[in-house]
Amino acid sequence: MAQACTRDGRGLVSIVLFGSAAKGGFAQQASDVDLIVVIPDGASREERARVRGEVVRLEIEHGFKQPVEPRSWLQAFAESAGGQDHSCFVCTQSDLVSGDVARVFDLNAVQAFLVDRIVFATVTASLVTVWGEDLRPLVRPPPVRRLDVFKACFIFTNQVLSSLAAYPLLPNATCYAMGALKHSLHSCYFCYHLKTTALDEEVAFFQQRLGVSHTMKQLLDLRKRYRKSFGFVVRCLPALLRLHLGTALDNSFPLDGPR
């Protein structure tokens, strides 16, 4: 990847891995490879687009992403809202060090307002530099507030409600609900431990902390043997509410940055 992105002589600062592949919870059928490619300060938007295009080409070439196929506007919206179409982010060194999620993920004003602080805090907690300069010690995301737990709950609940309402029209509605519950588990687990871990360990923790949840167990099963399940999408709603309410009541806020 470093060779492909520097083919025209321009250098990269670093390549950073985060998410499932970085913390040991990679599932071949359900995970992609989440990356932040850090380019020098002053790089143009055209340079960002070129680097992102090289990464997408490599993802397709090595089987981590399917070639773009025609999609309905509803599918495109659902995948964008749930983050399924974003596995690689390109930002400058100053963007990453700022700890500003809007700058790192190139969000517009509305997206920046809606996104909760837990998103970038969990990313930072799982960062692994795989090439170039290690910038991790310099990244300091803002502290997580109780408000962020409820903002995350609002976003994830709406993602599931959208999948539920449009289930007959969305071939991957079950997958979108799985993504919402997975990210919910990551967010809530972080509030307890200020770090992230493999999804099965997060599920085990909440099974003990909040009681047995067959929905969480089914999430793990579906990641191994995917199938469509309207019932799972329905059951995600109470599971999400239970997770976030328990997390909000169990923890003191604001939380310090990741340890």
Side-chain angles (χ1 to χ4, degrees), residues 151-165:
K151 286 179 74 172
C153 183
F154 175 79
I155 295 297
F156 297 141
T157 298
N158 276 280
Q159 289 175 10
V160 174
L161 284 173
S162 298
S163 297
L164 190 61

Side-chain angles (χ1 to χ4, degrees), residues 16 37 44 59 68-69 98 125 134 136 142 144 149 202 213 226 237 247 251 258:
V16 184
V37 180
S44 65
E59 287 179 320
V68 178
E69 298 177 352
S98 73
D134 187 7
R136 295 173 303 160
V144 174
V149 179
E202 293 176 348
S213 169
Y226 178 74
L237 290 172
T247 299
N251 292 277

Side-chain angles (χ1 to χ4, degrees), residues 203-204 206-217 242:
V203 168
F206 284 110
Q207 296 280 49
Q208 183 176 21
R209 185 80 184 188
L210 301 179
V212 175
S213 169
H214 296 293
T215 308
M216 294 184 197
K217 183 179 182 300
R242 182 185 182 194

Side-chain angles (χ1 to χ4, degrees), residues 10-256:
R10 298 221 22 153
L12 300 180
V13 176
S14 59
I15 299 175
V16 184
L17 186 70
F18 68 94
S20 301
K23 59 192 178 187
F26 186 80
Q28 185 65 45
Q29 300 302 318
S31 297
D32 48 22
V33 178
D34 299 307
L35 292 167
I36 299 176
V37 180
V38 186
I39 58 181
D41 291 340
S44 65
R45 297 197 70 84
E46 290 75 17
E47 178 67 10
R48 294 182 187 227
R50 187 193 67 79
V51 171
R52 188 177 293 110
E54 286 290 345
V55 175
V56 171
R57 180 184 65 79
L58 287 170
E59 287 179 320
I60 294 173
E61 183 178 315
H62 291 279
F64 289 104
K65 182 188 288 289
Q66 296 300 315
V68 178
E69 298 177 352
R71 300 176 298 174
S72 68
W73 68 267
L74 188 60
Q75 286 177 283
F77 173 78
E79 291 179 9
S80 178
Q84 278 81 9
D85 61 348
H86 300 296
S87 59
C88 171
F89 302 92
V90 180
C91 69
T92 66
Q93 179 173 339
S94 60
D95 288 338
L96 182 63
V97 172
S98 73
D100 184 343
V101 66
R103 291 176 59 180
V104 176
F105 293 161
D106 196 22
L107 305 178
N108 61 40
V110 174
Q111 292 170 323
F113 175 77
L114 291 174
V115 73
D116 58 88
R117 292 181 176 182
I118 310 174
V119 171
F120 192 56
T122 56
V123 167
T124 306
S126 65
L127 289 181
V128 175
T129 301
V130 294
W131 185 92
E133 185 177 350
D134 187 7
L135 301 173
R136 295 173 303 160
L138 303 178
V139 182
R140 287 288 183 267
V144 174
R145 308 155 298 178
R146 185 173 280 107
L147 171 64
D148 294 303
V149 179
F150 290 114
K151 286 179 74 172
C153 183
F154 175 79
I155 295 297
F156 297 141
T157 298
N158 276 280
Q159 289 175 10
V160 174
L161 284 173
S162 298
S163 297
L164 190 61
Y167 189 87
L169 304 175
L170 289 173
N172 294 322
T174 303
C175 185
Y176 302 149
M178 289 170 60
L181 183 55
K182 180 190 75 170
H183 289 115
S184 176
L185 282 160
H186 292 339
S187 295
C188 292
Y189 186 88
F190 178 86
C191 291
Y192 283 91
H193 301 282
L194 299 182
K195 65 179 182 179
T196 57
T197 189
L199 186 63
D200 56 348
E201 294 181 31
E202 293 176 348
V203 168
F205 170 78
F206 284 110
Q207 296 280 49
Q208 183 176 21
R209 185 80 184 188
L210 301 179
V212 175
S213 169
H214 296 293
T215 308
M216 294 184 197
K217 183 179 182 300
Q218 188 178 7
L219 171 65
L220 298 179
D221 293 339
L222 289 174
R223 283 171 61 84
K224 297 175 182 176
R225 295 176 295 276
Y226 178 74
R227 66 186 184 280
K228 296 180 180 180
S229 174
F230 182 77
F232 172 79
V233 179
V234 173
R235 289 190 293 274
C236 274
L237 290 172
L240 284 169
L241 294 173
R242 182 185 182 194
L243 263 175
H244 287 267
L245 182 60
T247 299
L249 295 177
D250 261 359
N251 292 277
S252 300
F253 295 87
L255 301 175
D256 293 329

